[in-house]
Amino acid sequence: MPRTDTMRLRPLSPGDEHVFADWAQDEEFRIANGWPERDRDGHLRHWRRLIDAPPPELIRLAVELDEEVVGYADLHGLAPDTRELGIAIGPSSRWGQGLGQRAIKTALTYGFSVLDLSRIWAETHETNDRAKKLFKATGFIETGRHGTDTYRGEEVSLVQYAVERPY
């Protein structure tokens, strides 16, 4: 089959849990994304619950490239016009190929056009240079530095970003 290089978002579906459980075996991916250390069955159970009964405040979509799951995008929150964006590209061997930037742009399009959001915000750890670079490259503007969280075993500051819907 010829490669089309098409990226799209779709709802999570049964079977995706196996992809995500595989990513959990990638220690670099797991640590960078703050996933707990569990056995494969534990990860499968976690993802099946999210697929079968997602919390009402979470829209989690699979990111597909040529019909292969390469990540997921979250649009999180209950406000009618704003959501928090989060993405993960997996496994770590896919990092540095531009997929994160494409996934963010695809998620922004979805959020502004399908969900009719007026603002999308994001947050990352001060020491997560990869994420900070991605947000800036996709039009996010730093809006503040509030709070702390553990990242890679260290308590670090959080940096917030936002982007407004283009009119």
Side-chain angles (χ1 to χ4, degrees), residues 119 122-124 126 141-147 157-162:
R119 182 175 187 267
E123 181 173 76
T124 194
E126 172 60 39
I141 304 297
E142 184 177 326
T143 59
R145 292 171 181 251
H146 309 285
S157 298
L158 294 170
V159 182
Q160 293 80 34
Y161 297 88

Side-chain angles (χ1 to χ4, degrees), residues 138-153:
T138 52
F140 281 82
I141 304 297
E142 184 177 326
T143 59
R145 292 171 181 251
H146 309 285
T148 62
D149 190 32
T150 302
Y151 181 66
R152 295 182 175 267

Side-chain angles (χ1 to χ4, degrees), residues 113-129:
S113 63
V114 176
L115 300 179
D116 198 30
L117 300 175
S118 60
R119 182 175 187 267
I120 296 175
W121 67 280
E123 181 173 76
T124 194
H125 302 93
E126 172 60 39
T127 55
N128 188 342
D129 293 331

Side-chain angles (χ1 to χ4, degrees), residues 8 13 20 24 26 29 32 38-39 67 71 74 77 81-82 85-86 100-101 106 108 113 127 135 151-152:
R8 72 180 188 111
S13 61
F20 302 133
D26 175 352
F29 174 89
R38 298 181 178 130
D39 64 17
E67 299 183 19
D74 292 344
D81 64 343
T82 187
L85 173 69
Q101 192 172 83
T106 303
L108 290 175
S113 63
T127 55
F135 289 131
Y151 181 66
R152 295 182 175 267

Side-chain angles (χ1 to χ4, degrees), residues 21-35:
D22 286 347
W23 295 354
Q25 306 311 303
D26 175 352
E27 187 175 8
E28 175 64 13
F29 174 89
R30 188 181 52 72
I31 291 170
N33 284 283
W35 288 16

Side-chain angles (χ1 to χ4, degrees), residues 45-160:
R45 282 190 302 276
H46 168 78
W47 283 98
R48 282 186 190 123
R49 280 191 304 272
L50 276 176
I51 292 167
D52 293 342
E57 71 277 5
L58 177 63
I59 298 173
R60 178 164 284 170
L61 303 164
V63 176
E64 285 188 334
L65 181 64
D66 296 333
E67 299 183 19
E68 178 183 1
V69 175
V70 298
Y72 63 83
D74 292 344
L75 289 158
H76 189 265
L78 290 173
D81 64 343
T82 187
R83 294 269 177 141
E84 178 184 9
L85 173 69
I87 68 153
I89 300 297
S92 64
S93 61
R94 287 197 171 112
W95 296 352
Q97 300 174 19
L99 297 176
Q101 192 172 83
R102 289 180 62 192
I104 288 173
K105 289 178 180 178
T106 303
L108 290 175
T109 298
Y110 181 90
F112 291 134
S113 63
V114 176
L115 300 179
D116 198 30
L117 300 175
S118 60
R119 182 175 187 267
I120 296 175
W121 67 280
E123 181 173 76
T124 194
H125 302 93
E126 172 60 39
T127 55
N128 188 342
D129 293 331
R130 182 184 300 273
K132 292 188 321 186
K133 183 179 175 184
L134 276 173
F135 289 131
K136 290 176 185 175
T138 52
F140 281 82
I141 304 297
E142 184 177 326
T143 59
R145 292 171 181 251
H146 309 285
T148 62
D149 190 32
T150 302
Y151 181 66
R152 295 182 175 267
E154 180 182 347
E155 191 74 11
V156 297
S157 298
L158 294 170
V159 182
Q160 293 80 34

